Amino acid sequence: MMDIYFCLRRPSQMVEAKRMKISSDFRWLLSSFILLYLMNQVNSQKKGAPHDLKCITNNLKVWDCSWKAPSGHGTAYEVCIENRFHSCYRSEKTNTKIPALLPGDHEISINPLHGSRSSISRFILNEENISLIPDTPEILNLSADFSTSTIHIKWNDKGSVFPHHSDVIWQIKILRKKKMEIVTLMTHNTTLNGKDTVHQWSWTSDMPLECVTHFVRMRCYVDDLHFSGHKEWSDWSPVKNISWSPDYQPKVIPKDKVILVGSDITVCCIIQEKVISAQFGKEMCSLIHLDGENVAIKIYNVSVSPTSGTNVVFTTDTNMVGTVIFAGYPPDIPQKLNCETRDLKEIICTWNPGRPTGLLGPHDTNYTLFENFSGQNVKRAEDTTNVNYQLFFQMIPNREIYNFTLKAHNPLGQSESTVLVNITERVYPHTPTSFKVKDINSTAVTLSWHLPGSFAKINLLCQIEITKSNSVQELQNVTVKGLENSSYLITVGKLSPYTNYTFRIRCSTETFWKWSSWTIEKQHLTTEAIPSKGPDTWREWSSDGKNLIIYWKPLPINEANGRILSYNVSCSSDEETQSLSEIPDRQHKAEIQLDKNDYIISVVAKNSVGSSPPSKIASMEIPNDDLKIEQAVGMGNGIFLTWNYDPNMTCDYVIKWCNSSHPGPCLMDWKKVPSNSTEAVIESDQFRPGVRYNFFLYGCRNQGYQLLRSVMGYIEELAPIVAPNFTVEDTSADSILVKWEDIPVEELRGFLRGYLFYFGKGERGTSKMRGLGSDRSDIKIKNITDISQKTLKIADLQGKTSYHLVLRAYTDGGIGPEKSMYVVTKENLAVAVIVGVVTSILCYRKREWIKETFYPDIPNPENCKALQFQKSVCEGNSALKTLEMNPCTPNNVEVLETRSVVPKIEDTEIISPVAEHPEDSSEAEPENHVVVSYCPPIIEEEIPNPVADEAGGTSQVIYIDVQSMYQPQAKPEEQENDSVGGSGYKPQMHLPVTSTVEDMTAEDDLDHTAGYRPQANVNTWNLVSPDSPRSTDSNSEIVSFGSPCSINSRQFLLPPKDEDSPKSSGGGWSFTNFFQNKPND
């Protein structure tokens, strides 16, 4: 750039001429400039002229300019500034310092003194071409606070060398370890004020400074707004370090460090041997290797430590070293700071510490109380175990206003709180002591107590609590002047004689801040006085009317004014006065024999001080003929009575009441009301719900008492507890007459309002009337409101029907329990006659069926054609022929037998009756004798036909016992194989038999058989019967095979109980047959 300016300025006349012509021939001029510049450069190089002029400044006052020169030339130069007087400077080097030039272009010539004139170089210099490079800063002092790991740096900004104020940016670089690892690069801003200023800057390391060497260096940048040239950073200052010389003993740093909860901390171990592991509490930590064998660990977001801190342990092969970390909070601002005094001698300041710091012991918060007006202070002991947080400050004489500041401090920070108080308005007295009570008279006492403190200049406000026996507490406030001796005395009056009182007292100041605590209660009994009133009296005549019984109530405590020792009773008339002996206190009645004259009875109560005024009552009772008994129901715990005002009642009214259910004289209690009253509420702790009481209202005139009203009532009505006792007086086919009795008064528990009578059909044990009173259509209800009614007739009932009757009584208090019974109405004769007539007609129409079912005809054996008996049967011929039959296939044959175990049936030969045998034939072969024995459950026997020329099949006889008739039938193959496997009755089923029956020879002898035996000789049986098909058609193969002269029926007399058993299809009796007509009917 300088060379360009030099080229442009070389011949000044030519430059002026070119400026004149540039508008006309710009291109030619530009080409000429370039050509001249190139020629100048060539000539300068050839002649050895200076070139590349550069200038910088460190303080904006002096420019340091340097240039380049060819080698071999002399070192002396003359630098001149054109247009300035005496502005040439001689330099033996290729640089020189010149004063800072004003803004604008300046021509600088550099002339080598030993060169030719052609070696002079000219340059155009402007401030914009100058670079501002501050001097390298110098660290004056580098120190370290190892307890806080803080580095402190001091340096001088040399502001005096700059002509005006400028902003400076300082850049500080922190390096660590021998490898010079950059830890941080920080900036710090200052302002140059024209004076040399020493600046200080601190930096806290996250790693203890003892763990590793730290290095520091810095540079600066001056930002001068008046300087238009280039601005650059200064060079870095020389490095300075902070080091710590270990004592070659293993050590963990920091030692017992206190840190804020949630912060991070670096712990290092300085050791000569290799560390294997590091642990923070129960957590293993990663190792950070430092110079040598030293290591460190980084712990993040530390939580509140336990009371004993958290251990950090480094482990080597041969050793374990460690430290303790305490994490907590700085002290909170003391809350509710309050300063008060209890005796005006010492001030007590209390506060709430707020959030717990989590630090204990030597790291706990220290509190200091400062009094700002006096400059005095007190400290709270560091090892105190007082958890109330309070400090005591001795009062300054004649000082009432105090300004206190409470400061809290721990290793993590500090806080404070301030309060301004007038101490005379903040008095909280001690509890009064030596509290005593003394009598003045029966209605006044004195109270004395001791109150420690210096209260001579103020007044005290004391409060006395007076509690009367069984009464409400009473509070009295009294003001007393403060005393130096602290002993106080007051008088309390308007008390009741002979009454137990409880006293206690507490005090405050007249301006009132706080009450002191109450003293211990003091009980005191006041002295006696004469009774203030006479006893409340009443009188009753005895049942025989000869003696008058006087009653009186014990005087209340507030009227007795002492312990009543005795009573004096006297009676007086116009003629005489009669006095009885003194009656002891425990007796509250007396009996006097009097006539019907008018007497005045007086009763006086006595105690140790004197007698009460007399209570007087007249003995005469005025009759009342117009008296009615009324009913009343109370409300709550009492009963309300009213009456009309009567001006004739001059003394008072008396209401007497008693329990009406108790035997004997009616006297429970009485109450007197003034004569101008027209109503009264009678209340008593003895009243009970559901109990009837009698109330009597008496009015008093001068000559005696008159009974005005008689009322019976209840405090509260309840439901009856028993049901009315009722009986059935009479029953008919359509009605029932019941009668019941009254419920006793003590069980009624209210005024009887009626009865509820329920009735409906039902039998005992099956019918239960639930939901009585509901809208059930099968239950009828009668509400009997006439309580004098004691009978009820229920009509429109059904004859010979069971009815369920229920009776309940009710009062206004509810419905009582029920009593029930079951009654059956009598039979209706008209219905019985109708049923008899209908039954007779039905039986007449079914007479044939009834006769056949229940009374069948027994056939005459003489007319039986099924069997033909020979005369030899009765003669006992051994060759008997008991049965002759036509060839047929038998129908059902059923034989009932006992369970005789004979597992065999003899083979039987049936002789065909085609050729009729004579009846007198008495000779028969033994082998032709038929024996029918007991058969197993199912036996199928084939009877072979010895006559080959007779056509027909075989005949089978099947025996089935009673049990098998109701079980599933066995298969034919099972029946054949199981010939002897059962027992019991075996009826005969449908079996085909041969059309021609021949004689059969028995295989065994008759003596070898047992069990059932058919009738006589089978040869004498005749199969022809009136119902036999053979009788009508001898060629028929189906015949009826039955016993001689028997009814052919298959109906069992004992039907099975099992519903799944097979039922007989015979013609036995059934109810449905009763309504079926036979075809011939």
Side-chain angles (χ1 to χ4, degrees):
M1 294 291 295
M2 296 299 167
D3 295 339
I4 294 175
Y5 282 111
F6 169 74
C7 179
L8 295 175
R9 294 284 298 175
R10 188 175 178 188
S12 59
Q13 298 81 1
M14 185 173 58
V15 171
E16 293 294 332
K18 289 181 180 180
R19 288 180 179 177
M20 300 278 298
K21 298 179 181 179
I22 191 168
S23 58
S24 62
D25 197 356
F26 177 76
R27 291 183 180 178
W28 180 87
L29 183 59
L30 181 60
S31 299
S32 300
F33 278 144
I34 294 173
L35 180 61
L36 289 174
Y37 173 73
L38 294 176
M39 292 175 62
N40 179 69
Q41 288 292 94
V42 172
N43 294 330
S44 296
Q45 292 293 337
K46 290 181 179 180
K47 296 178 181 180
H51 59 278
D52 293 340
L53 176 65
K54 294 181 179 180
C55 295
I56 63 172
T57 181
N58 297 328
N59 51 23
L60 300 178
K61 294 181 178 181
V62 178
W63 290 359
D64 187 0
C65 298
S66 62
W67 58 89
K68 294 180 180 180
S71 59
H73 292 272
T75 58
Y77 296 93
E78 184 183 34
V79 180
C80 296
I81 304 174
E82 300 294 335
N83 301 326
R84 292 189 65 179
F85 181 74
H86 297 295
S87 57
C88 293
Y89 304 91
R90 183 181 177 89
S91 176
E92 301 294 332
K93 300 180 180 179
T94 58
N95 69 303
T96 186
K97 293 182 178 182
I98 61 175
L101 302 179
L102 296 176
D105 294 337
H106 300 273
E107 183 178 347
I108 303 297
S109 63
I110 301 175
N111 181 22
L113 296 179
H114 302 286
S116 61
R117 187 175 179 87
S118 61
S119 299
I120 298 175
S121 299
R122 298 182 183 276
F123 304 91
I124 300 300
L125 191 62
N126 194 307
E127 186 184 71
E128 296 178 354
N129 307 118
I130 307 302
S131 296
L132 175 58
I133 303 177
D135 290 334
T136 302
E138 180 183 1
I139 298 176
L140 300 179
N141 183 29
L142 181 63
S143 61
D145 184 357
F146 291 98
S147 62
T148 60
S149 299
T150 303
I151 297 175
H152 303 287
I153 307 171
K154 290 184 179 180
W155 71 94
N156 192 337
D157 63 359
K158 299 179 181 180
S160 61
V161 300
F162 287 89
H164 37 70
H165 295 278
S166 301
D167 294 331
V168 182
I169 301 174
W170 306 91
Q171 198 171 66
I172 305 169
K173 183 182 292 185
I174 309 295
L175 303 99
R176 183 182 292 165
K177 299 169 62 173
K178 295 179 180 179
K179 297 180 180 179
M180 302 289 286
E181 296 177 356
I182 297 177
V183 178
T184 184
L185 183 64
M186 307 294 291
T187 58
H188 180 69
N189 298 325
T190 63
T191 301
L192 301 177
N193 57 7
K195 298 179 180 180
D196 290 345
T197 304
V198 177
H199 297 280
Q200 182 175 346
W201 180 81
S202 299
W203 174 78
T204 301
S205 173
D206 61 342
M207 181 178 293
L209 300 179
E210 301 94 329
C211 299
V212 66
T213 302
H214 286 73
F215 303 90
V216 180
R217 61 181 179 177
M218 63 188 305
R219 64 179 181 175
C220 64
Y221 177 90
V222 177
D223 186 12
D224 193 321
L225 299 178
H226 301 89
F227 179 70
S228 60
H230 302 285
K231 302 168 186 176
E232 298 181 9
W233 284 97
S234 70
D235 294 333
W236 286 102
S237 67
V239 174
K240 287 193 174 184
N241 61 36
I242 294 292
S243 61
W244 177 72
S245 301
D247 54 3
Y248 301 101
Q249 293 294 328
K251 184 176 294 186
V252 177
I253 300 174
K255 191 71 173 179
D256 299 337
K257 181 71 173 178
V258 180
I259 62 173
L260 182 66
V261 172
S263 59
D264 303 336
I265 185 173
T266 302
V267 181
C268 67
C269 177
I270 301 174
I271 198 168
Q272 302 299 319
E273 55 182 322
K274 184 177 181 181
V275 176
I276 299 175
S277 63
Q279 185 175 354
F280 175 69
K282 297 181 180 180
E283 181 182 357
M284 301 301 296
C285 302
S286 300
L287 296 177
I288 302 173
H289 293 280
L290 305 176
D291 295 335
E293 298 295 339
N294 299 343
V295 295
I297 58 173
K298 185 78 172 180
I299 305 171
Y300 299 94
N301 193 19
V302 180
S303 59
V304 177
S305 302
T307 56
S308 59
T310 306
N311 294 328
V312 179
V313 179
F314 293 88
T315 304
T316 66
D317 291 333
T318 60
N319 196 7
M320 292 179 63
V321 292
T323 186
V324 181
I325 302 298
F326 298 91
Y329 296 97
D332 201 357
I333 296 176
Q335 302 172 7
K336 300 180 180 179
L337 177 61
N338 176 48
C339 294
E340 61 189 14
T341 181
R342 307 203 71 171
D343 52 10
L344 288 180
K345 297 178 181 179
E346 186 179 52
I347 300 175
I348 305 173
C349 292
T350 60
W351 65 92
N352 185 337
R355 179 188 61 189
T357 62
L359 303 176
L360 299 176
H363 309 298
D364 197 3
T365 304
N366 296 323
Y367 292 93
T368 304
L369 182 67
F370 291 88
E371 205 290 304
N372 298 319
F373 294 152
S374 64
Q376 300 179 12
N377 66 81
V378 289
K379 292 184 178 181
R380 181 172 179 263
E382 297 181 357
D383 58 347
T384 181
T385 57
N386 185 5
V387 296
N388 294 326
Y389 294 95
Q390 60 183 6
L391 284 172
F392 299 89
F393 186 86
Q394 296 299 319
M395 289 185 60
I396 301 173
N398 301 322
R399 171 73 67 82
E400 295 181 358
I401 306 298
Y402 293 85
N403 186 7
F404 290 106
T405 298
L406 179 66
K407 294 184 177 181
H409 176 269
N410 73 1
L412 296 177
Q414 61 183 10
S415 61
E416 64 180 35
S417 181
T418 302
V419 63
L420 180 68
V421 297
N422 183 343
I423 202 63
T424 59
E425 298 176 355
R426 296 287 186 96
V427 180
Y428 173 36
H430 290 287
T431 303
T433 59
S434 302
F435 182 52
K436 297 178 181 179
V437 183
K438 291 184 179 181
D439 287 311
I440 297 177
N441 53 44
S442 61
T443 59
V445 295
T446 59
L447 304 180
S448 62
W449 69 92
H450 178 77
L451 185 63
S454 179
F455 303 111
K457 296 182 180 180
I458 61 174
N459 292 330
L460 296 177
L461 175 67
C462 294
Q463 189 175 70
I464 306 167
E465 182 186 83
I466 306 172
T467 304
K468 193 175 181 179
S469 298
N470 302 323
S471 181
V472 182
Q473 297 175 347
E474 178 186 355
L475 295 177
Q476 293 184 7
N477 292 337
V478 294
T479 300
V480 295
K481 183 173 180 55
L483 303 174
E484 286 293 340
N485 59 9
S486 302
S487 294
Y488 301 90
L489 181 70
I490 61 172
T491 300
V492 178
K494 298 181 180 180
L495 302 178
S496 299
Y498 198 67
T499 304
N500 274 314
Y501 286 94
T502 300
F503 300 93
R504 63 176 183 171
I505 193 170
R506 61 181 179 179
C507 293
S508 180
T509 58
E510 197 172 25
T511 55
F512 188 76
W513 168 244
K514 289 181 181 179
W515 287 113
S516 68
S517 299
W518 288 102
T519 61
I520 298 176
E521 292 182 346
K522 204 68 146 180
Q523 293 186 350
H524 183 75
L525 178 63
T526 56
T527 58
E528 294 187 9
I530 61 174
S532 60
K533 290 179 63 177
D536 184 5
T537 59
W538 181 243
R539 86 288 178 278
E540 290 281 339
W541 285 98
S542 61
S543 58
D544 57 3
K546 295 182 180 180
N547 296 335
L548 185 66
I549 305 174
I550 299 97
Y551 300 93
W552 61 87
K553 297 179 181 179
L555 285 173
I557 297 177
N558 59 343
E559 296 177 358
N561 294 338
R563 187 171 65 89
I564 300 299
L565 301 177
S566 62
Y567 297 92
N568 188 6
V569 181
S570 63
C571 61
S572 61
S573 63
D574 295 337
E575 300 178 356
E576 61 177 349
T577 299
Q578 180 181 356
S579 179
L580 301 179
S581 60
E582 290 189 354
I583 300 173
D585 175 56
R586 63 180 180 272
Q587 185 175 342
H588 299 110
K589 72 174 182 177
E591 190 170 349
I592 306 176
Q593 186 175 1
L594 297 175
D595 52 26
K596 293 298 182 179
N597 294 329
D598 187 14
Y599 291 90
I600 300 298
I601 311 300
S602 297
V603 181
V604 175
K606 294 183 178 181
N607 63 11
S608 62
V609 179
S611 300
S612 69
S615 295
K616 297 181 179 182
I617 187 171
S619 64
M620 182 179 177
E621 185 165 334
I622 304 172
N624 186 355
D625 298 331
D626 187 17
L627 187 65
K628 296 180 180 179
I629 299 178
E630 306 172 25
Q631 292 183 355
V633 178
M635 300 177 60
N637 296 326
I639 191 165
F640 182 68
L641 298 179
T642 60
W643 58 89
N644 296 325
Y645 174 74
D646 189 351
N648 296 324
M649 300 302 165
T650 57
C651 35
D652 53 23
Y653 290 97
V654 176
I655 303 172
K656 181 187 72 172
W657 64 90
C658 62
N659 189 338
S660 62
S661 61
H662 286 179
C666 179
L667 181 62
M668 175 183 290
D669 203 351
W670 70 90
K671 179 180 180 179
K672 292 184 178 180
V673 294
S675 59
N676 58 353
S677 300
T678 58
E679 61 184 27
V681 177
I682 309 303
E683 295 180 337
S684 175
D685 294 337
Q686 299 180 4
F687 287 156
R688 297 290 181 269
V691 178
R692 182 178 294 181
Y693 299 95
N694 291 336
F695 298 88
F696 303 95
L697 174 65
Y698 292 89
C700 176
R701 299 179 182 179
N702 292 331
Q703 66 271 27
Y705 284 92
Q706 183 180 25
L707 180 60
L708 303 179
R709 292 183 63 188
S710 177
V711 179
M712 62 177 180
Y714 293 87
I715 302 303
E716 180 183 356
E717 289 189 89
L718 302 177
I721 59 175
V722 297
N725 186 18
F726 76 101
T727 58
V728 177
E729 294 293 312
D730 186 24
T731 60
S732 64
D734 60 350
S735 65
I736 299 175
L737 178 63
V738 296
K739 181 180 180 181
W740 58 88
E741 301 174 355
D742 287 331
I743 300 176
V745 173
E746 59 272 12
E747 297 177 341
L748 191 59
R749 305 202 300 176
F751 294 115
L752 180 64
R753 302 304 181 189
Y755 301 92
L756 293 177
F757 193 87
Y758 306 82
F759 63 94
K761 294 180 181 181
E763 296 181 359
R764 187 181 303 276
T766 59
S767 175
K768 293 184 179 179
M769 287 192 180
R770 296 181 180 178
L772 297 178
S774 61
D775 298 333
R776 290 179 53 181
S777 60
D778 57 337
I779 296 177
K780 296 182 180 179
I781 306 174
K782 289 186 177 296
N783 185 8
I784 304 169
T785 57
D786 184 5
I787 61 175
S788 62
Q789 180 180 341
K790 296 297 181 290
T791 60
L792 176 66
K793 185 176 182 180
I794 309 169
D796 300 329
L797 303 180
Q798 296 180 4
K800 205 173 184 178
T801 303
S802 176
Y803 284 91
H804 186 192
L805 310 181
V806 176
L807 183 61
R808 306 172 74 180
Y810 64 91
T811 65
D812 288 339
I815 303 175
E818 65 180 54
K819 183 174 182 181
S820 63
M821 66 170 56
Y822 294 85
V823 181
V824 180
T825 57
K826 295 181 179 180
E827 185 176 2
N828 195 327
L829 296 178
V831 175
V833 171
I834 294 174
V835 172
V837 172
V838 173
T839 303
S840 300
I841 295 174
L842 189 59
C843 291
Y844 177 78
R845 293 188 61 192
K846 296 293 183 177
R847 62 187 179 280
E848 293 296 334
W849 178 82
I850 295 173
K851 181 178 181 299
E852 179 181 353
T853 303
F854 297 101
Y855 305 100
D857 293 333
I858 299 176
N860 189 352
E862 295 180 355
N863 298 328
C864 182
K865 298 180 182 181
L867 300 176
Q868 297 295 333
F869 294 94
Q870 299 178 357
K871 295 180 179 180
S872 58
V873 172
C874 298
E875 297 176 359
N877 192 341
S878 60
L880 295 178
K881 296 182 180 179
T882 58
L883 178 63
E884 292 183 3
M885 59 180 291
N886 295 326
C888 66
T889 300
N891 270 344
N892 300 332
V893 178
E894 298 176 359
V895 180
L896 271 175
E897 292 185 328
T898 60
R899 293 180 178 269
S900 300
V901 183
V902 180
K904 183 180 180 182
I905 182 170
E906 298 291 345
D907 294 339
T908 304
E909 183 180 1
I910 301 178
I911 306 301
S912 175
V914 176
E916 188 175 352
H917 297 274
E919 293 181 0
D920 58 350
S921 176
S922 60
E923 294 182 2
E925 298 298 331
E927 59 273 11
N928 295 331
H929 185 76
V930 177
V931 178
V932 180
S933 64
Y934 170 78
C935 298
I938 299 177
I939 299 178
E940 297 183 5
E941 280 192 333
E942 294 186 0
I943 304 177
N945 187 5
V947 183
D949 57 344
E950 291 293 339
T954 61
S955 176
Q956 289 183 338
V957 180
I958 300 175
Y959 292 83
I960 304 175
D961 60 8
V962 176
Q963 296 178 358
S964 65
M965 285 293 294
Y966 303 100
Q967 297 175 357
Q969 296 293 330
K971 295 181 181 180
E973 56 270 24
E974 295 175 353
Q975 296 174 356
E976 292 177 358
N977 297 332
D978 189 11
S979 60
V980 291
S983 63
Y985 167 69
K986 304 295 188 289
Q988 300 177 8
M989 307 299 291
H990 286 339
L991 299 174
V993 298
T994 57
S995 60
T996 304
V997 180
E998 301 294 341
D999 292 340
M1000 300 176 64
T1001 303
E1003 296 180 356
D1004 297 326
D1005 191 77
L1006 179 62
D1007 297 335
H1008 298 162
T1009 63
Y1012 170 77
R1013 297 181 180 180
Q1015 300 180 22
N1017 193 342
V1018 71
N1019 295 328
T1020 63
W1021 291 358
N1022 191 345
L1023 301 179
V1024 179
S1025 64
D1027 294 330
S1028 175
R1030 182 64 175 168
S1031 62
T1032 58
D1033 187 4
S1034 60
N1035 296 326
S1036 175
E1037 295 181 356
I1038 302 175
V1039 297
S1040 177
F1041 184 79
S1043 301
C1045 303
S1046 64
I1047 301 300
N1048 185 14
S1049 174
R1050 297 197 46 176
Q1051 180 65 31
F1052 289 102
L1053 297 180
L1054 299 176
K1057 294 182 180 180
D1058 189 0
E1059 295 179 359
D1060 296 334
S1061 302
K1063 299 181 179 180
S1064 174
S1065 61
W1069 184 90
S1070 64
F1071 185 77
T1072 55
N1073 295 334
F1074 185 78
F1075 298 97
Q1076 297 178 0
N1077 294 327
K1078 291 185 178 182
N1080 56 359
D1081 286 345

